[in-house]
Amino acid sequence: MTKDMTPLLGYRLKLAQHALHRRLEAALKPLGLNPAQYAVLAELNARPDQTNADLAERAFITPQSMQGVLAKLEDSRLVERRQDVRHGRRQLARLTPEGHVKAEAANAEVMRVEEVLEAAVRPDAIQDALDLMERLHSAMCR
Amino acid sequence: MTKDMTPLLGYRLKLAQHALHRRLEAALKPLGLNPAQYAVLAELNARPDQTNADLAERAFITPQSMQGVLAKLEDSRLVERRQDVRHGRRQLARLTPEGHVKAEAANAEVMRVEEVLEAAVRPDAIQDALDLMERLHSAMCR
DNA sequence: CTGATAACATCAGGCGCCTGATATAATGTA
DNA sequence: TACATTATATCAGGCGCCTGATGTTATCAG
């Protein structure tokens, strides 16, 4: 007989991340963004002029999926794409001024969630928690 | 300027869970199951005769989504649903004999992944890790 | 008993991410 | 130069989960 799932690390990891995801969705919804769109805005804010392929890799989704994300951000005039002068195929994405404002606002919301998350951990244990997540991540990628 | 996401607990939580999910998908694929289907088989193995609504709640998805999961499991003859004798509307789901075999096989695969996950943590720190996940989950649900 | 409310199953449509296929430009190699 | 390989963007279709709407059955209040 299969036992109760509750004491499994994988199960609890899933639960925690699922709740976080819902929370982020709720926090970003008033801004008209979803977590994937936020991730792109934040990434382009930190490093402008990246290609669709670059952004996809950093966000851990496929280029095909990122295509859809970028298309919507372009429709919303938060991101613009230009032909790379040196390459005929590459298109470099960057934030519009409006996109920059939106990115900052979204980041504030996300940081608010992050603070709630960190408040659940003893201050001196946050680094341990970060290390734990990294170890779990590495173990699953091997 | 938005900073690097790497040191954020939320970001690393997402990364770890994402990798776990991919790993589970890969482990279950040879059995013809996805993580959601596995969750239902495991749940019905532990507690037979649950309704669609019950299963949805335990799996943290909507009844509408669980409907699709159950329909596929029925098509695969791993689960069967019968009218509840006392209620005209409720349908109670349970494993078929074939479903029971599949559930056990899937559970073995999932436990193998769980072992890899736990191996990434010092043995005396597993309970701390479980507690951490629970605190993060609770913090996000409030 | 009657009518309102809640629980349950289910259909329809949308969104996000996936895989597979295709087209084009850049790059490496004979 | 010519050709194969790689990188990039993009279209098409599938799958899983979502919200909204609908119909049916239990349950409860009067």
Side-chain angles (χ1 to χ4, degrees):
Chain A
M1 176 71 83
T2 307
K3 299 292 185 285
D4 187 11
M5 292 293 167
T6 308
L8 297 182
L9 200 48
Y11 180 76
R12 293 208 188 175
L13 177 59
K14 176 186 175 176
L15 248 59
Q17 197 278 333
H18 186 255
L20 166 64
H21 191 255
R22 292 308 187 84
R23 185 94 169 215
L24 282 177
E25 277 182 332
L28 292 170
K29 192 168 188 177
L31 294 170
L33 297 175
N34 62 28
Q37 291 167 341
Y38 160 73
V40 171
L41 293 187
E43 180 59 30
L44 287 178
N45 203 3
R47 303 184 189 86
D49 290 328
Q50 297 190 64
T51 67
N52 176 54
D54 293 335
L55 292 167
E57 187 174 1
R58 288 188 193 276
F60 303 96
I61 63 178
T62 62
Q64 294 94 319
S65 298
M66 183 56 74
Q67 188 71 17
V69 177
L70 280 178
K72 285 208 170 176
L73 290 173
E74 266 190 302
D75 289 348
S76 310
R77 308 287 182 224
L78 299 175
V79 165
E80 57 185 10
R81 296 158 95 183
R82 301 181 184 179
Q83 286 289 330
D84 185 334
V85 181
R86 314 179 182 202
H87 299 71
R89 196 108 187 95
R90 283 185 187 160
Q91 295 181 33
L92 301 180
R94 62 173 61 180
L95 296 182
T96 62
E98 188 183 347
H100 183 76
V101 172
K102 186 76 82 173
E104 297 291 349
N107 198 57
E109 291 300 323
V110 171
M111 290 311 272
R112 201 163 299 157
V113 174
E114 172 73 15
E115 282 168 16
V116 175
L117 203 58
E118 293 190 3
V121 187
R122 294 199 323 275
D124 64 313
I126 289 184
Q127 188 56 51
D128 287 348
L130 289 170
D131 291 346
L132 172 65
M133 296 301 169
E134 179 52 33
R135 278 196 300 275
L136 297 180
H137 178 230
S138 296
M140 290 296 96
C141 287
R142 235 174 285 133
Chain B
M1 175 72 83
T2 306
K3 300 292 185 286
D4 187 12
M5 293 291 167
T6 308
L8 297 183
L9 200 48
Y11 180 75
R12 293 208 187 174
L13 177 60
K14 176 186 174 177
L15 248 59
Q17 197 278 333
H18 186 255
L20 167 64
H21 190 255
R22 292 309 187 85
R23 184 94 169 213
L24 282 177
E25 277 182 331
L28 292 170
K29 192 168 188 178
L31 293 170
L33 297 174
N34 63 28
Q37 291 167 340
Y38 160 73
V40 171
L41 294 186
E43 180 58 30
L44 287 178
N45 203 3
R47 303 185 190 85
D49 290 328
Q50 296 191 65
T51 66
N52 177 53
D54 292 335
L55 293 167
E57 187 174 2
R58 289 189 193 275
F60 304 95
I61 63 177
T62 63
Q64 295 94 320
S65 299
M66 182 56 73
Q67 188 70 16
V69 177
L70 280 178
K72 285 208 169 175
L73 290 173
E74 267 190 302
D75 289 346
S76 310
R77 308 286 183 227
L78 299 176
V79 165
E80 58 184 11
R81 295 158 96 183
R82 302 182 183 180
Q83 286 288 330
D84 185 334
V85 181
R86 313 180 183 203
H87 300 72
R89 197 104 188 96
R90 284 185 186 160
Q91 296 181 34
L92 302 180
R94 63 172 61 180
L95 297 183
T96 62
E98 189 183 348
H100 182 77
V101 171
K102 186 76 83 173
E104 297 291 349
N107 197 56
E109 291 301 323
V110 171
M111 289 312 270
R112 200 163 300 157
V113 174
E114 173 73 16
E115 283 167 16
V116 174
L117 204 58
E118 293 190 3
V121 188
R122 293 197 325 274
D124 64 312
I126 289 184
Q127 188 56 51
D128 286 348
L130 288 170
D131 290 347
L132 172 64
M133 295 302 168
E134 178 52 34
R135 278 197 300 276
L136 297 180
H137 177 231
S138 296
M140 290 298 95
C141 287
R142 236 174 285 133

